[in-house]
């Protein structure tokens, strides 16, 4: 259909006044929605171990495990949210339900500070007797965490793609700059949101108490949902379609069903099912058993009149098979990032360390203990800017040709920095613990070491920032460059999945260490009394595991072989779009 001419426009005046949906006008609402959600959820995490220990009277090991599981759920549910969005609900409805769930969770958490019966009563000061939380009270608290995680699972995997949906017409018309602008504002808002959470929200909790400190995120989340719903009439709302995950399952099922079929003769045409206009004639020989899922045994029965599969659970395309193979191939290298994510997710112990040290910057101001994570974010941001704008241009000028560090090299450097971070953490904690015992604070974990500044903790956070800058961004670029264009959603989700697995493994490591080191009535290495425990030994265990992981990475990198030339496996015309994605990381 062509564009209506001027006569048609005159005969249809309503058509000229009706505003098209989507476009730049929707961007502030979409960006604000996720930015507010991140301010709310990230602002609750840093000080939560203190809330659990003081108000719910759980041990540091149990409280840390609860936070590990919460973080694991928050990182895993976006995968489920992406599947539900793609297959059933569509992005708008998924974000909408996620906003409601996150708001409900923050309100439930806020209510634990105001409703007396939903948490244990204060300790009896005269008898020094403290009641433990009941099953119902813990269930109420955990329910708030679950709802917040469900909210993140609905909002985070869909916001970026939903925003891109609104700009689809502009991109198709050739305006690629608008996509770059959106990605830039999106990632900038995410970084600012995390910084506000780690500074502003944490500062409010420390100085104004839990009621205000949990109330502010609840109010922020209310505005997050409100601004998103206000723009509902403006959005382009696409319906869900078959998810890529469903395609993977279909390949596995079809391979099993067709396991007895013989392979077509070499160089035969028409033996394998392919997409229309595809250049792929046959699947690759690696993981050959999966190739049976795309074998055409009887064209009349297997193919519909339009050339598609009559039963997609019996016959898949070559492209589906190769997508699954690409995913399986990167799993070993992906697994090397899990231990680095375990190191980055250590937030409870550094907070307790900072809480026991002198945090004063001036006589009237001290850095909140939960805000030291900002050094990680600041280091990551500064390094990306220096690397992209200074180091690479200068190195290229000196060598007289473009200088680029390969993605696998950057991933390895990130793992090395992660190892250094744990080693430095162990050394600093050993020094802090010796000073605390020397000054007579062995039985007083609340005492503050005034002669040891908490800035001693900054180097380990900065090293974590460098580890994330090299490895996390390197991972994402690696997946984008190695996967076909159709798997871009998987590429963006794999790092989050690694964080989820890391949180679960971190809980296993912590629980095992607590159980083993507390045998025979001994003080656990991860005791609630930071001065009697041995957090330094805990860090040394993680450092040793990180060094082993570095060797494991070298083996996996060698086994994987050379990476594909950047962007060569993308469909024609997609290079510019991926370039926009890469630029947005900076």
């Amino acid at each position: 259909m062509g564009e209506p001419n001027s006569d048609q426009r005159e005969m249809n005046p309503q058509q000229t006044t009706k505003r098209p949906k989507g476009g730049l006008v929707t961007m502030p609402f979409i960006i604000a929605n996720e930015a507010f959600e991140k301010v709310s959820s990230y602002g609750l995490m840093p000080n939560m171990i203190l809330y659990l220990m003081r108000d719910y009277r759980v041990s540091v090991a149990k409280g840390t495990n609860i936070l590990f599981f919460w973080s694991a759920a928050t990182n895993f549910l976006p995968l489920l949210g992406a599947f539900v969005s793609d297959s059933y609900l569509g992005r708008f409805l998924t974000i909408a339900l996620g906003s409601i769930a996150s708001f409900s969770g923050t309100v439930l958490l806020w209510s634990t500070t105001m409703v007396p019966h939903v948490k244990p009563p204060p300790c009896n000061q005269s008898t020094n007797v403290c009641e433990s939380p009941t099953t119902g009270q813990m269930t109420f608290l955990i329910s708030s965490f679950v709802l917040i995680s469900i909210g993140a699972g609905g909002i985070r995997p869909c916001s970026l793609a939903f925003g891109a949906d609104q700009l689809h017409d502009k991109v198709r018309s050739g305006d690629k700059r608008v996509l770059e602008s959106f990605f830039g504002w999106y990632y900038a808002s995410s970084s600012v949101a995390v910084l506000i959470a780690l500074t502003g929200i944490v500062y409010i909790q420390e100085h104004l108490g839990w009621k205000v400190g949990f109330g502010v995120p609840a109010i922020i989340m209310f505005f997050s949902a409100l601004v998103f719903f206000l723009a509902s009439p403006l959005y382009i709302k696409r319906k869900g379609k078959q998810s890529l995950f469903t395609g993977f399952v279909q390949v596995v099922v079809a391979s099993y069903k067709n396991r007895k079929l013989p392979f077509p003769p070499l160089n035969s045409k028409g033996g394998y099912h392919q997409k229309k206009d595809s250049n792929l004639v046959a699947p690759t020989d690696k993981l050959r058993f999966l190739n049976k899922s795309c074998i055409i045994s009887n064209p009349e029965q297997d193919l519909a009149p339009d050339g598609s599969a009559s039963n997609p659970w019996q016959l898949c395309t070559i492209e589906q098979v190769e997508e699954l193979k690409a995913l399986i191939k990167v799993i070993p290298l992906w697994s090397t990032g899990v231990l680095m994510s375990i190191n980055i997710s250590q937030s409870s112990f550094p907070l307790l360390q900072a809480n026991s040290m002198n945090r004063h910057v001036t006589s009237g101001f001290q850095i909140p203990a939960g805000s030291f994570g900002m050094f990680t974010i600041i280091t990551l941001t500064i390094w990306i800017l220096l690397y992209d704008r200074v180091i690479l241009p200068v190195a290229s000028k000196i060598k007289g040709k473009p200088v680029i560090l390969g993605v696998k090299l950057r991933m390895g450097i990130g793992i090395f920095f992660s190892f250094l971070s744990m080693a430095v953490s162990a050394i600093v904690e050993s020094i802090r613990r010796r000073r605390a015992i020397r000054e007579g604070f062995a039985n007083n974990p609340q005492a503050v070491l005034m002669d040891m500044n908490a800035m001693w903790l900054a180097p380990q956070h900065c090293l974590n920032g460098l580890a994330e800058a090299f490895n996390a961004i390197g991972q994402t670029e690696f997946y984008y460059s190695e996967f076909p264009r159709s798997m871009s959603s998987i590429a963006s989700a794999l790092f989050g999945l690694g964080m989820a697995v890391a949180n679960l493994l971190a809980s296993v490591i912590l629980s095992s260490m607590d159980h083993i080191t507390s045998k025979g009535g001994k003080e656990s290495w991860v005791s609630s009394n930071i001065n009697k425990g041995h957090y330094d030994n805990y860090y040394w265990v993680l450092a040793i595991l990180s060094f082993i992981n570095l060797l494991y990475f070298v083996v996996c990198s060698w086994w994987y072989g050379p990476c594909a030339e950047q962007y060569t496996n993308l469909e024609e015309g997609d290079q510019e779009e991926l370039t926009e994605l890469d630029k947005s990381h900076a």
Side-chain angles (χ1 to χ4, degrees):
M1 292 180 66
E3 288 289 325
N5 59 34
S6 58
D7 294 335
Q8 287 175 313
R9 291 194 191 97
E10 289 176 7
M11 294 173 63
N12 243 329
Q14 291 184 347
Q15 212 170 7
T16 61
T17 58
K18 187 177 180 180
R19 185 196 172 283
K21 292 191 175 185
L24 288 172
V25 70
T26 62
M27 293 302 102
F29 301 97
I30 297 171
I31 291 174
N33 173 254
E34 181 166 358
F36 284 158
E37 186 274 330
K38 284 188 173 177
V39 170
S40 175
S41 59
Y42 278 83
L44 292 171
M45 182 66 78
N47 279 332
M48 189 56 67
I49 186 64
L50 297 178
Y51 186 62
L52 293 175
M53 292 174 67
R54 294 171 183 174
D55 289 56
Y56 280 82
R57 288 180 281 284
V58 301
S59 67
V60 65
K62 182 178 179 181
T64 302
N65 276 331
I66 290 173
L67 298 184
F68 277 146
F69 282 118
W70 182 20
S71 185
T74 303
N75 284 299
F76 174 75
L77 285 175
L79 281 175
L80 182 60
F83 172 76
V84 171
S85 169
D86 290 347
S87 302
Y88 303 104
L89 300 182
R91 288 162 184 155
F92 171 78
L93 193 55
T94 304
I95 295 174
L97 293 176
S99 299
I100 294 171
S102 190
F103 171 64
S104 302
T106 54
V107 170
L108 278 186
L109 183 60
W110 188 17
S111 68
T112 63
T113 66
M114 298 183 293
V115 181
H117 299 297
V118 297
K119 72 176 179 181
C123 296
N124 190 317
Q125 297 296 328
S126 58
T127 60
N128 200 28
V129 174
C130 300
E131 292 185 24
S132 298
T134 64
T135 302
Q137 289 168 340
M138 287 303 297
T139 301
F140 190 89
L141 177 69
I142 298 300
S143 297
S144 69
F145 294 163
V146 170
L147 285 171
I148 293 171
S149 294
I150 290 173
I155 296 172
R156 295 181 188 178
C158 299
S159 289
L160 187 62
F162 188 61
D165 286 345
Q166 312 310 310
L167 303 175
H168 182 68
D169 291 338
K170 286 185 175 292
V171 174
R172 286 188 64 186
S173 65
D175 188 0
K176 296 285 185 178
R177 184 69 183 84
V178 71
L179 196 63
E180 178 183 356
S181 178
F182 168 60
F183 284 142
W185 280 105
Y186 178 86
Y187 282 101
S189 67
S190 296
S191 300
V192 171
V194 173
L195 279 177
I196 291 174
L198 294 178
T199 54
I201 302 298
V202 170
Y203 185 86
I204 289 172
Q205 291 169 358
E206 186 165 303
H207 289 83
L208 299 180
W210 300 120
K211 286 184 181 180
V212 179
F214 289 169
V216 170
I219 294 170
I220 288 174
M221 202 55 232
F222 170 76
F223 282 108
S224 173
L226 180 64
V227 297
F228 183 76
F229 283 113
L230 282 176
S232 178
L234 305 177
Y235 297 137
I236 295 172
K237 302 170 185 175
R238 302 187 187 280
K239 295 181 179 179
K241 56 184 180 180
Q242 178 176 299
S243 169
L244 198 60
F245 294 104
T246 304
F248 292 157
V249 178
Q250 286 175 341
V251 171
V252 175
V253 171
S255 297
Y256 178 77
K257 286 183 177 180
N258 300 339
R259 65 190 182 281
K260 295 182 180 179
L261 291 178
F263 286 106
L266 292 175
N267 301 321
S268 65
K269 293 185 178 180
Y272 294 100
H273 180 44
Q274 60 191 106
K275 286 183 179 179
K276 289 182 179 179
D277 303 323
S278 172
N279 294 323
L280 294 177
V281 177
T284 57
D285 286 335
K286 289 185 177 180
L287 301 172
R288 198 162 179 252
F289 66 93
L290 294 175
N291 295 352
K292 295 203 171 186
S293 65
C294 58
I295 295 176
I296 301 174
S297 60
N298 187 332
E300 293 183 359
Q301 292 182 358
D302 294 342
L303 299 177
D306 62 353
S308 63
S310 301
N311 181 2
W313 295 91
Q314 185 79 40
L315 178 65
C316 301
T317 64
I318 299 173
E319 288 74 14
Q320 283 178 279
V321 174
E322 292 305 311
E323 286 167 353
L324 180 56
K325 287 181 180 181
L327 178 63
I328 294 173
K329 187 180 177 183
V330 303
I331 286 177
L333 274 173
W334 166 82
S335 67
T336 64
V338 171
L339 190 63
M340 193 206 75
S341 297
I342 291 177
N343 297 342
I344 292 175
S345 66
Q346 302 297 322
S347 59
S348 297
F349 296 146
L351 182 138
L352 295 177
Q353 289 174 279
N355 209 44
S356 69
M357 300 166 76
N358 179 10
R359 293 176 280 116
H360 282 89
V361 178
T362 65
S363 57
F365 175 76
Q366 64 176 359
I367 302 175
S371 293
F372 277 79
M374 69 181 180
F375 288 109
T376 300
I377 305 298
I378 293 172
T379 303
L380 186 152
T381 305
I382 291 174
W383 173 256
I384 291 174
L385 292 174
L386 286 175
Y387 176 76
D388 189 53
R389 305 299 179 188
V390 179
I391 296 174
L392 288 185
V394 170
S396 299
K397 190 173 182 179
I398 292 173
K399 294 199 71 175
K401 61 180 181 179
V403 174
I404 298 176
L405 292 180
V407 287
K408 289 197 294 183
L409 176 60
R410 277 182 276 151
M411 290 165 65
I413 292 173
I415 293 173
F416 176 70
F417 276 125
S418 181
F419 156 70
L420 286 183
S421 172
M422 289 300 100
V424 170
S425 299
I427 293 169
V428 171
E429 170 56 17
S430 179
I431 295 171
R432 188 212 63 81
R433 184 177 179 274
R434 283 201 304 268
R435 287 192 182 184
I437 294 174
R438 187 171 63 243
E439 295 180 19
F441 296 145
N443 295 315
N444 186 7
Q446 304 300 324
V448 176
L449 293 172
M450 295 305 296
D451 68 333
M452 187 170 184
N453 198 287
M455 292 303 291
W456 277 69
L457 300 174
Q460 66 196 54
H461 287 289
C462 292
L463 287 168
N464 270 333
L466 288 173
E468 196 166 354
F470 277 98
N471 187 274
I473 295 177
Q475 273 193 67
T476 305
E477 186 177 336
F478 173 71
Y479 302 140
Y480 270 112
S481 61
E482 294 298 296
F483 286 168
R485 165 72 168 80
S486 57
M487 294 179 66
S488 59
S489 60
I490 300 293
S492 61
L494 276 177
F495 184 75
L497 177 62
M499 286 293 294
V501 174
N503 292 134
L504 295 177
L505 288 179
S507 176
V508 172
I509 292 171
L510 179 67
S511 299
S512 301
M513 205 168 297
D514 182 44
H515 175 71
I516 293 170
T517 59
S518 61
K519 284 184 176 180
K522 297 179 181 178
E523 193 75 34
S524 169
W525 282 1
V526 288
S527 168
S528 296
N529 185 329
I530 187 174
N531 296 327
K532 281 191 172 182
H534 268 286
Y535 293 1
D536 52 343
N537 291 348
Y538 173 72
Y539 286 136
W540 278 123
V541 170
L542 292 180
I544 292 169
L545 291 175
S546 298
F547 184 75
I548 296 171
N549 185 53
L550 180 61
L551 301 179
Y552 171 60
F553 171 82
V554 172
V555 173
C556 291
S557 180
W558 170 81
W559 176 84
Y560 188 88
C563 293
E565 287 295 321
Q566 198 170 22
Y567 310 145
T568 55
N569 62 342
L570 297 180
E571 296 171 9
E572 186 176 354
D574 287 331
Q575 292 187 15
E576 289 183 24
E577 185 172 343
L578 185 55
T579 302
E580 310 299 340
L581 285 168
D582 287 341
K583 287 180 180 178
S584 68
H585 287 304

